[in-house]
Amino acid sequence: MNDSLLQMNTFFPNELMAIESIKQDNCTVHIKLRSRTHSCKCPECGYETTNYHGTYLRKVQDLPILGKTTRLSITAHEYICNNDACSKTTFVEDFDGFLSYYGRMTERCADFICTLAMETSCEGCARICRAMNLQISGDSVIRLLTKQYRVQPVVECGNIVGVDDFAFKKRHTYGTIIVDQSTHKPVAILDGRDGNSLKEWLKNNKHIKAVTRDRASAYSSAIQEVLPDAMQIADRFHLHQNLLEAIKNTVNAVLPVDIKIPKDYDMQKTNEKSVDGKKNALRCG
Ligand SMILES: [Zn+2]
């Protein structure tokens, strides 16, 4: 074996699958793999079964190789669930940590897209991915992100959290994000922003002592209902936002629509008096 050559099989879980062939064209690397497993856990009931049923060809995308789209064709095994109480009869195996039961891309590929989306935006992430020849649309990034967070195990969080709304799709679909204030990392993404999903989340996190939030009533009443002893704190961002809005409304209400400049107003004199160097010919208030 030549040590100077890249060993492709080291990039795949050898104990679960073996590479059969690798081909490439101008834009794509095609890798054929075959399952080596002899047993699998049922996705429904968790029973381990060795009852082999047949094969199933899974076509999935992996991380690009040197800028080329990477397509995997995996001959996976189908198994029969032996548990009489289980509603599943047959199922296609997953490859733990590499490919989930229904995944259309490898888990490392999905993890990369989700990390990039969290650092940029769903549309921005899709554009960067396509530039790398990783084929995904902005809508698919949203679906992937939502699915990833839905199946995430419950994350332990401290007793101070921040709550805010965000748009999955502006003016259409909104969600609620919960951030652990001690780590500044998101711990949950919930559907909707009407407070109902927050209430359900708080019921499972009754150790929360303080919540920073915006000044809308939906979150306030949800927190008050589930955790009446928790301290509610209006966060700085929203206080600034509300203050600026109030100043703008006040200025709009106080100032007349037209401000007349007196005929004898001495523009030259005003410019000379200006201390900040700006030509504030007419100062309001
Ligand atoms: Zn089962």
Side-chain angles (χ1 to χ4, degrees):
M1 194 174 287
N2 191 338
D3 288 342
S4 66
L5 294 177
L6 196 62
Q7 301 298 315
M8 280 302 290
N9 58 340
T10 60
F11 293 92
F12 296 92
N14 261 320
E15 67 287 4
L16 300 177
M17 57 182 68
I19 294 178
E20 289 197 317
S21 69
I22 303 174
K23 289 181 182 168
Q24 61 167 317
D25 53 35
N26 286 343
C27 313
T28 312
V29 176
H30 302 272
I31 303 176
K32 273 191 177 180
L33 300 117
R34 178 170 284 278
S35 171
R36 302 170 75 162
T37 66
H38 300 287
S39 66
C40 186
K41 278 184 181 170
C42 169
E44 189 76 21
C45 65
Y47 269 48
E48 180 121 8
T49 176
T50 54
N51 211 343
Y52 175 79
H53 179 66
T55 58
Y56 184 87
L57 188 63
R58 296 192 64 181
K59 294 191 171 186
V60 296
Q61 193 175 193
D62 202 351
L63 288 169
I65 295 176
L66 295 177
K68 286 192 177 187
T69 302
T70 304
R71 306 259 180 218
L72 309 182
S73 298
I74 305 171
T75 305
H77 292 161
E78 274 186 319
Y79 287 95
I80 299 169
C81 182
N82 294 324
N83 180 6
D84 293 337
C86 180
S87 61
K88 274 252 184 272
T89 47
T90 62
F91 60 90
V92 182
E93 65 183 330
D94 75 337
F95 297 97
D96 193 29
F98 181 74
L99 181 64
S100 63
Y101 288 104
Y102 307 108
R104 296 170 70 178
M105 59 179 59
T106 57
E107 291 191 25
R108 60 190 173 198
C109 192
D111 288 345
F112 169 76
I113 292 169
C114 288
T115 306
L116 186 60
M118 293 294 279
E119 293 294 330
T120 55
S121 66
C122 290
E123 282 299 332
C125 167
R127 282 195 294 276
I128 294 169
C129 286
R130 286 196 292 271
M132 297 167 59
N133 281 325
L134 177 49
Q135 306 300 330
I136 192 159
S137 68
D139 286 348
S140 297
V141 175
I142 294 173
R143 278 195 294 275
L144 185 63
L145 209 53
T146 313
K147 188 175 143 209
Q148 288 285 96
Y149 274 90
R150 198 162 278 153
V151 297
Q152 288 288 318
V154 176
V155 179
E156 293 292 325
C157 73
N159 53 14
I160 304 174
V161 293
V163 177
D164 202 2
D165 63 340
F166 70 96
F168 285 112
K169 191 174 182 184
K170 220 169 181 179
R171 289 187 287 277
H172 288 275
T173 324
Y174 287 86
T176 296
I177 185 168
I178 299 175
V179 176
D180 186 335
Q181 296 290 34
S182 59
T183 61
H184 296 167
K185 289 190 173 166
V187 290
I189 288 180
L190 313 173
D191 286 330
R193 56 174 178 176
D194 59 3
N196 288 328
S197 54
L198 176 62
K199 261 194 262 183
E200 292 307 310
W201 188 85
L202 289 173
K203 282 175 190 169
N204 295 319
N205 290 275
K206 292 210 166 181
H207 65 289
I208 301 293
K209 295 274 186 283
V211 184
T212 63
R213 58 165 177 81
D214 62 14
R215 298 187 62 242
S217 59
Y219 294 146
S220 164
S221 41
I223 299 161
Q224 179 63 31
E225 188 180 322
V226 182
L227 299 174
D229 295 330
M231 183 189 291
Q232 297 195 30
I233 304 160
D235 65 43
R236 187 171 53 190
F237 171 82
H238 289 100
L239 274 181
H240 280 177
Q241 198 177 47
N242 294 150
L243 177 64
L244 291 174
E245 191 69 21
I247 292 170
K248 186 179 155 198
N249 291 340
T250 307
V251 170
N252 281 345
V254 169
L255 287 182
V257 177
D258 298 317
I259 300 175
K260 290 194 168 52
I261 303 172
K263 279 184 182 171
D264 58 349
Y265 192 81
D266 189 343
M267 189 76 78
Q268 182 66 35
K269 215 170 178 179
T270 306
N271 282 343
E272 282 169 7
K273 280 183 182 173
S274 176
V275 288
D276 55 8
K278 292 176 185 170
K279 291 188 176 179
N280 296 324
L282 183 62
R283 285 177 184 276
C284 299

